[in-house]
């Protein structure tokens, strides 16, 4: 109890230093996913039932869109490194606004829907690395976890609320829904235009911006992010069909709501503890949480679905935040490029999960016992991380002395300027 109170006090102290622009950025981190998730979770239904696309075509379109949204983050990071954080966010929001306006026009000309959806995903790919980098620009290492976890909490809150608002209108009144979301993005874009330039890098070119997209990548955090997203998206991709068969679609929504709530509440409170963990311990705790959650899901009862979802979310709260913090600590590149590289890792993991996990789920479904899918996923959580940690011995030594385990090394001791 005392540690929880101390964590809450530390979080409040860190967030009390947020100025007006950063408070607006946190508000935007809620409003942008709120608007996006009023539309995107229902795109399969909209494309199939409203626009008449076949399910095979719908699946291909969504796969391409997801890959663009995640892996395109590396381009967003490089662009921010070249033209600046604020300008990158503005371009990203303009592109995304155009995408949602295109969905409105697609009600009259359905083929436009595919291009509009991909456009919204391109905007998301460009925006997030610059958003995170602006949020932590010039912030010392002690406050970075609090700022990042607050941004993640706002993001998850928007993702949770958006579908609840839009669900009744997606098929009955999609035109008005697309108008409302487009208008919301116009307002958010206008707000970003008023952000001060001093909050982020505004250089045009330079030595770091001329380097390759993967130059300076922190190998172990990158690989750990690929693996974490690969295993997490077993849950994300395939829980719906598993849960609906055993409970209902409403109960599946309840599981998702629980997971969103845990991220919103727990990650900010635990951010200081996660920062202080050694990297090896954080990986162990995170992947063990995933293994436990996937094992519990195999039971298949409604309480097991809730408990399994909670354990998986708690594991990923540790993994996702610690991987970002460790990547920032190890890489000499700018924050925006680092976040972009981590988004690429997330995209590769999510894509592999869809491709390999889909085949695996199909095999277990053919045998008549899909519980084995979750047990095989749990086995991977136990077997693959030791292989990942073996990369430690092959990672080049940093030219500056620091503790490879410790999480408390400030950026300037690694030859980096905070916020770069």
């Amino acid at each position: 109890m005392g540690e929880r109170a101390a964590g809450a006090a530390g979080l409040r102290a860190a967030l009390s230093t947020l100025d007006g622009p950063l408070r607006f950025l946190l508000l935007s981190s809620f409003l942008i996913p709120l608007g996006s998730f009023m539309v995107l979770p229902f795109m399969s239904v909209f494309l199939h039932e409203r626009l008449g696309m076949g399910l095979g075509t719908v699946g291909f379109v969504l796969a391409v869109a997801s890959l663009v949204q995640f892996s395109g983050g590396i381009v967003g990071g490089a662009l921010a490194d070249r033209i600046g954080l604020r300008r990158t966010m503005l371009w990203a929001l303009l592109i995304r606004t155009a995408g949602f306006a295109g969905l409105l026009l697609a009600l009259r000309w359905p083929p436009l829907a595919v291009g509009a959806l991909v456009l919204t995903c391109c905007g998301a790919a460009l925006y997030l690395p610059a958003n995170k980098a602006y949020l932590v620009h010039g912030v010392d290492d002690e406050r970075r976890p609090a700022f990042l976890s607050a941004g993640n909490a706002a993001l998850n809150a928007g993702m949770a609320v958006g579908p609840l608002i839009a669900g009744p209108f997606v098929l009955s009144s999609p035109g008005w829904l697309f108008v409302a979301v487009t208008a919301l993005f116009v307002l958010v874009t206008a707000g970003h235009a008023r952000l001060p330039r001093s909050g982020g890098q505004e250089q045009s070119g330079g030595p770091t911006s001329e380097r390759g997209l993967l130059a300076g990548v922190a190998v172990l955090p990158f690989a750990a992010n690929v693996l974490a997203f690969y295993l997490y998206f077993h849950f994300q991709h395939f829980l719906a069909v598993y849960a609906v068969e055993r409970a209902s679609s409403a109960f599946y929504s309840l599981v998702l709501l629980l997971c969103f709530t845990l991220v919103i509440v727990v990650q900010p409170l635990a951010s200081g503890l996660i920062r202080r963990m050694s990297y090896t311990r954080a990986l162990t705790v995170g992947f063990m949480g995933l293994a436990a959650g996937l094992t519990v899901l195999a039971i298949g009862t409604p309480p097991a679905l809730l408990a399994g979802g909670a354990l998986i979310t708690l594991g990923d709260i540790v993994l996702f935040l610690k991987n970002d913090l460790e990547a920032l600590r190890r890489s000499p590149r700018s924050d925006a490029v680092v976040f972009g590289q981590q988004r690429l890792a997330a995209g590769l993991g999510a894509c592999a999960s869809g491709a390999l996990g889909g085949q695996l789920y199909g095999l277990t479904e053919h045998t008549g016992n899909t519980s084995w899918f979750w047990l095989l996923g749990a086995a991977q959580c136990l077997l693959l991380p030791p292989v990942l940690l073996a990369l430690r011995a092959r990672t080049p030594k940093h030219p500056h002395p620091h503790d490879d385990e410790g999480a408390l090394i400030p950026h300037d001791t690694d030859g980096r300027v905070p916020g770069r």
Side-chain angles (χ1 to χ4, degrees), residues 46 51 56 71 125 143 156 163 195 215-216 221 250 256 271 280 284-285 289 334 352 355 357 369 395 400 406 420:
F46 177 75
L51 301 184
S71 299
R143 290 182 298 157
N156 279 270
L195 288 174
L256 293 184
S271 60
T280 301
T284 302
V285 170
S334 70
N369 188 0
T395 302
H400 295 277
R420 286 284 298 148

Side-chain angles (χ1 to χ4, degrees), residues 20-399:
L22 293 185
R23 290 178 186 275
F24 170 77
L25 206 63
L26 281 181
L27 176 62
S28 298
S29 295
F30 169 75
L31 293 176
I32 289 172
L34 172 71
S36 299
F37 273 68
M38 288 171 68
V39 174
L40 298 182
F42 305 102
M43 283 309 298
S44 59
V45 178
F46 177 75
L47 294 174
H48 178 57
E49 296 189 13
R50 183 78 184 195
L51 301 184
M53 292 186 183
L55 285 175
T57 303
V58 169
F60 177 76
V61 169
L62 294 181
V64 170
S66 298
L67 186 61
V68 168
Q69 181 165 344
F70 276 103
S71 299
I74 193 168
V75 178
L79 182 65
D81 204 29
R82 178 173 292 274
I83 70 171
L85 302 177
R86 186 189 65 167
R87 278 182 284 179
T88 299
M89 288 190 289
L90 280 173
W91 277 110
L93 289 170
L94 287 170
I95 291 170
R96 210 162 191 196
T97 303
F100 285 114
L103 289 174
L104 178 62
L105 297 176
L107 292 173
R108 293 295 183 91
W109 190 43
L112 189 60
V114 175
L117 176 60
V118 172
L119 207 58
T120 65
C121 293
C122 288
L126 295 177
Y127 180 82
L128 193 60
N131 169 277
K132 284 187 170 184
Y134 194 107
L135 188 62
V136 299
H137 176 77
V139 174
D140 60 73
D141 282 4
E142 187 172 345
R143 290 182 298 157
R144 281 188 167 214
F147 282 27
L148 284 175
S149 59
N152 291 338
L155 181 82
N156 279 270
M159 291 165 62
V161 175
L164 297 177
I165 295 175
F169 310 108
V170 170
L171 294 179
S172 61
S173 306
W176 288 109
L177 179 63
F178 295 153
V179 167
V181 172
T182 303
L184 174 63
F185 270 83
V186 168
L187 292 175
V188 171
T189 303
H192 277 68
R194 297 178 62 84
L195 288 174
R197 294 167 62 92
S198 59
Q201 303 133 292
E202 298 299 333
Q203 77 274 15
S204 178
T208 60
S209 60
E210 295 297 330
R211 299 167 66 180
L213 295 179
L214 285 175
V217 67
V219 176
L220 185 56
F222 183 91
N225 227 33
V226 172
L227 183 57
F229 273 85
Y230 163 71
L231 294 168
Y232 171 73
F233 267 78
H234 280 52
F235 168 76
Q236 187 78 7
H237 283 316
F238 305 109
L239 181 65
V241 61
Y242 183 78
V244 170
E245 288 179 353
R246 288 158 177 76
S248 66
S249 57
F251 191 83
Y252 169 64
S253 299
L254 179 63
V255 174
L256 293 184
L257 184 61
L258 171 66
C259 296
F260 283 130
T261 302
L262 285 174
V263 175
I264 294 166
V265 175
V266 174
Q267 192 178 70
L269 293 175
S271 60
L273 176 63
I274 294 170
R275 177 181 69 88
R276 292 189 297 272
M277 276 187 187
S278 72
Y279 192 37
T280 301
R281 178 175 297 177
L283 292 178
T284 302
V285 170
F287 284 117
M288 288 295 290
L290 285 180
L294 291 170
T295 302
V296 171
L297 285 182
I299 299 172
T301 62
L305 297 178
L306 283 171
L311 287 168
I312 288 169
T313 303
L314 292 173
D316 279 316
I317 283 173
V318 177
L319 286 173
F320 294 164
L321 180 58
K322 190 63 175 182
N323 280 331
D324 277 354
L325 292 173
E326 192 68 10
L328 288 170
R329 189 177 75 87
R330 293 182 179 220
S331 176
R333 301 298 300 276
S334 70
D335 292 347
V337 169
V338 172
F339 287 127
Q341 291 170 342
Q342 291 297 94
R343 288 288 288 179
L344 172 62
L348 294 175
C351 186
S353 181
L356 301 179
Q359 296 297 319
L360 189 58
Y361 194 91
L363 288 174
T364 58
E365 188 177 46
H366 185 68
T367 65
N369 188 0
T370 50
S371 293
W372 279 105
F373 172 77
W374 306 108
L375 294 176
L376 290 170
Q380 292 178 78
C381 291
L382 299 177
L383 296 175
L384 294 178
V387 177
L388 183 70
L389 289 174
L391 288 172
R392 288 166 55 87
R394 304 182 63 180
T395 302
K397 294 295 183 181
H398 199 284

